[in-house]
Amino acid sequence: MRLFTMTVAGLVLVGCGSVDEDIAAEALISTPQGPVQGVTTASADVFNFKGLPFAAAPVGNLRWTAPAPAPRWKETRIADTFGNRCMQPEGVEGGFFNRLIEGHGLSATKNFLIKQAVKAQKPGPMSEDCLYLNVRTGNLNGDTQQPVMVWIHGGGHQFGSSDFAYYQSNGLVEKDVVLVTINYRLGAFGYMAHPALSADDPNGVSGNYGALDQIAALKWVQDNIAAYGGDPDNVTIFGESAGAWSVTEMMASPLAKGLFHKAIAQSGASTYHLGQMDGDGVGWPSGYSMGKQVAESVGLTEPTAADLRAVPAAEIMANLPEKADEAFHHIRDGYVFPKNVGQAFRDGEMNAVPFLTGYNSDEGTLFFPDDPQPSVWEPDMPRDGAEMLAALNQHYPGRGELIAELYDLENDFITGGTQMMGDEIFGVNVRFAAQANEAMGAPSYAYFFSRVPPSDKQTLGAFHAAEIPFVFDSSEPILGLTEDDKALTEMMVSAWTNFAKSGDPNGGNLPNWEPHQGENWMHFSANTSWDIAEALDNVRVEKLNALETGLIQKLDALDQTVSGTGPQGALED
């Protein structure tokens, strides 16, 4: 089993800043934490409040603990600087980023200028002290509170930050919502489990700290957002890739119940993450197994929690075991997650709310060159016909020949495998989540995004994360921006904010978008022969049906594997 590192390095095209910002006298407000003063933005009536702490710094004795209460203050806090980025690897995105830029089919001059501009950018400081969020609002003096949209960034739970350039736009806020973007602990600091940490925890568990951070941020919203013009009773969580995984994780955790009222998952659902705190996760390493490897990598064989917390953060980052990222995700611990997300959705044991989700037509183009494996369940897919079919039938019982035919794997493994990767990791899981949510009585809306870069030399298609600037209205003109693209942006920003307001994306100039009901999709496109937005039935249904057998098989196998009592508890029938 292999996990792709869903970096969003390609989104950092112009650094983390935005327009010139000034501390704004109009943005001096009183909040439950204390007085706060924000900064101006490109829009006269929209202000940004940066680097607001939503929990205590998780350092020292608070490393690898649930987030502690946020600080308060009496003197005015000038909110003009983003908080630190959470601990994450550095300097590993180069090939990914170059492939992204070159795949747009730009001129050699533009390629050079973009790469040089990015090379000149200095990312924000990185620290364990990173639990900060940002609020962008145009409603400081409004007569009524506005809906709140809380963005959870992507990056495979290993990378990313709320300060990325594509999130620094007023597009959503100008549609009368309040935008919150959050950090959360990543990698080893956000998701590592270890018996010593569980022994020191009041609930007898460890891991899932990143999920607990997201819950703490949502609690902050409940307690504080009214001071910024937001409605705590109308909160939509949304995210892309690992942010979308996180959305479904919030839907699966009883600790998040009531903290949000709608959910949007762009290109991702955590339904195929089957890791356990301890024991077999059907192909996924357990939290404890990787936590012990991390401890041993820094010379600790039988550490206490205090021993682990005493190791410098930089030393941990420098000694992470190979494939550590495969374990640093949500795990079933019986507390934050009584069941893995896939089981919770399948069994109807989740926070069902109005749900909007979808994926892009060419999700695999950025990842397949680095990891040419079309199946998430098979770490080394054979390319020989007979062996390939045997492996496919092992993971997709009775569907091996059909899958090989649908993706033409025996004749063109690279092209077919790239498409299969995108459909399996993204298409199968977003559709599975949408249908499970509907089974609980809440509406789900599904989309399929196929916009391509406008150059006739582009090779990326509708790549992973390509929809983000159309949701935020933050496209980079240097990458190509057509009239189709502008129309698409208006449609998507409107649909997302309509949904945040009412739980229904319809309205304005968008064609009628029916709830999914097992078959309905909205197709968003641009720079193609298709309409910019149109209703479609049964997107890639034969492919997704065949691939979904693999997910169902693994969830069923996990039922048989996970048993017993103790911290993880026993699965219910």
Side-chain angles (χ1 to χ4, degrees), residues 520-557:
N520 299 316
W521 300 72
M522 179 59 67
H523 181 204
F524 291 111
S525 192
N527 310 321
T528 65
S529 60
W530 295 299
D531 292 341
I532 292 171
E534 63 176 337
L536 288 183
D537 295 335
N538 293 317
V539 166
R540 296 184 178 176
V541 63
E542 190 173 15
K543 293 178 176 179
L544 298 186
N545 285 348
L547 294 173
E548 189 179 70
T549 61
L551 174 63
I552 299 301
Q553 175 183 248
K554 295 301 188 293
L555 290 173
D556 290 345

Side-chain angles (χ1 to χ4, degrees), residues 147-233:
V148 182
M149 298 185 73
V150 180
W151 174 257
I152 308 174
H153 69 76
H157 289 156
Q158 320 301 315
F159 301 86
S161 178
S162 62
D163 65 359
F164 277 9
Y166 273 155
Y167 316 151
Q168 313 312 317
S169 169
N170 290 336
L172 293 168
V173 176
E174 289 174 345
K175 296 286 189 180
D176 298 326
V177 301
V178 174
L179 175 64
V180 179
T181 57
I182 69 172
N183 285 355
Y184 56 98
R185 281 172 285 182
L186 303 167
F189 296 93
Y191 294 90
M192 189 184 90
H194 192 283
L197 298 175
S198 295
D200 192 56
D201 182 84
N203 296 295
V205 300
S206 57
N208 295 321
Y209 304 110
L212 288 168
D213 293 342
Q214 294 164 13
I215 292 168
L218 293 175
K219 290 180 177 178
W220 184 96
V221 168
Q222 289 298 305
D223 295 339
N224 294 274
I225 203 63
Y228 300 84
D231 183 357
D233 295 322

Side-chain angles (χ1 to χ4, degrees), residues 375-403:
S375 170
V376 72
W377 308 117
E378 174 55 56
D380 190 13
M381 179 67 71
R383 300 193 185 188
D384 173 76
E387 293 182 2
M388 178 195 298
L389 292 177
L392 289 171
N393 279 314
Q394 175 188 351
H395 297 294
Y396 313 93
R399 303 297 194 280
E401 287 78 7
L402 176 60
I403 290 170

Side-chain angles (χ1 to χ4, degrees), residues 18 21-54 73 76-83 131-141 146 149 162-163 167-170 173 177-183 220-221 224-230:
S18 52
E21 300 166 331
D22 297 307
I23 298 170
E26 313 95 302
L28 176 58
I29 61 174
S30 176
T31 80
Q33 286 183 288
V36 179
Q37 192 165 16
V39 297
T40 58
T41 70
S43 304
D45 297 325
V46 175
F47 302 97
N48 198 11
F49 296 82
K50 298 180 177 182
L52 303 172
F54 65 84
W73 49 83
T76 298
R77 182 184 182 97
I78 305 300
D80 63 348
T81 305
F82 289 117
L131 298 185
Y132 298 90
L133 54 74
N134 318 295
V135 179
R136 190 176 290 260
T137 176
N139 195 42
L140 291 183
N141 299 304
Q146 292 182 347
M149 298 185 73
S162 62
D163 65 359
Y167 316 151
Q168 313 312 317
S169 169
N170 290 336
V173 176
V177 301
V178 174
L179 175 64
V180 179
T181 57
I182 69 172
N183 285 355
W220 184 96
V221 168
N224 294 274
I225 203 63
Y228 300 84

